[in-house]
Amino acid sequence: IAFALFALCFFVLSKSFTRIGTKTPTVGKTATKAVVTREQSVSSALFKRELKRFTSSATYMLNCGLGIAVLPILAVVALIKRDTLQTVIVAFSEMAPDVAPLFPAIMLAAACMILAINEISTPSISLEGKNLWILRTLPVSSRDILDAKLRLHLLLNAIPAVISVAVLGWCVDASIDYIVLMVAFALVYILLTGTFGLILGLKRPNFNWTTETMPIKQSMNVLFSMLFNWALVIAFGAGAYFLRNTFSMQSYLSGAVVAVALAGVLLRKWLYTKGAAVLDTL
């Protein structure tokens, strides 16, 4: 059978190869249309540039933005299995009454574990590659460039995080104030991890790559950033467990929101000042 198919292919190619190889392509007329380009602010133009860079690369989206799709799936599964979750909560309440109140925190930690794999900001500096000089010749400040890269990370992660975390909190019967704190922690967690990843990419850039998989999949920056993100979630979960008899979960979560928010704001301030100076030297 294989030989017969080979003979058939050989026959067809032998009859058509010369005609295909010597064929002169015909070029049709193309209509030219005038396009009106609207004026936009510097921040908006840079943000759209970063968004186009992200959406035009399947490698970038798959390896650095997979959690954006996975997190809503987790929320949908929790909605479908809400009765099962309620059964598990009741069972834990009977077997381990001191652990049952941790369920909202457990769901929040699960959501943050998924958010931890979204490394959109970390390779964004290195992905400029040898074309960084084009960006540096534009009449924009280094702060604006860094701000656009950070805002892309924040926006793409915050939208699914807010909805999914709220749904997860509702599925485990968390109170309204508890759900608000859960959403707040997810947002400041995104701010801290996104800023930390961008700083890593800024301090250790790699512009000498031949394929974009190198700064995305084979980068120590991405690995260190992801490990930091996971370590932060583990520390949050360990604190919730060991301090469960000392603080209420609302009090503990409020303190965690303040601490993570403060760290994120400080890193963001460094990024926009000293980090911008570092970008000027690249």
Side-chain angles (χ1 to χ4, degrees), residues 28-41:
K29 295 182 179 180
T30 303
T32 303
K33 296 182 180 180
V35 178
V36 179
T37 302
R38 296 182 179 179
E39 181 181 358
Q40 53 188 323
S41 64

Side-chain angles (χ1 to χ4, degrees), residues 20 46 72 87 94 97 111 115 121 146 157 169 172 210 226 241 254-255 259 270 276:
I20 295 175
L46 289 174
T87 303
E94 296 176 353
L115 290 171
S121 63
L146 295 173
N157 283 281
V172 293
T210 55
M226 194 175 300
Y241 177 78
S254 298
W270 186 94

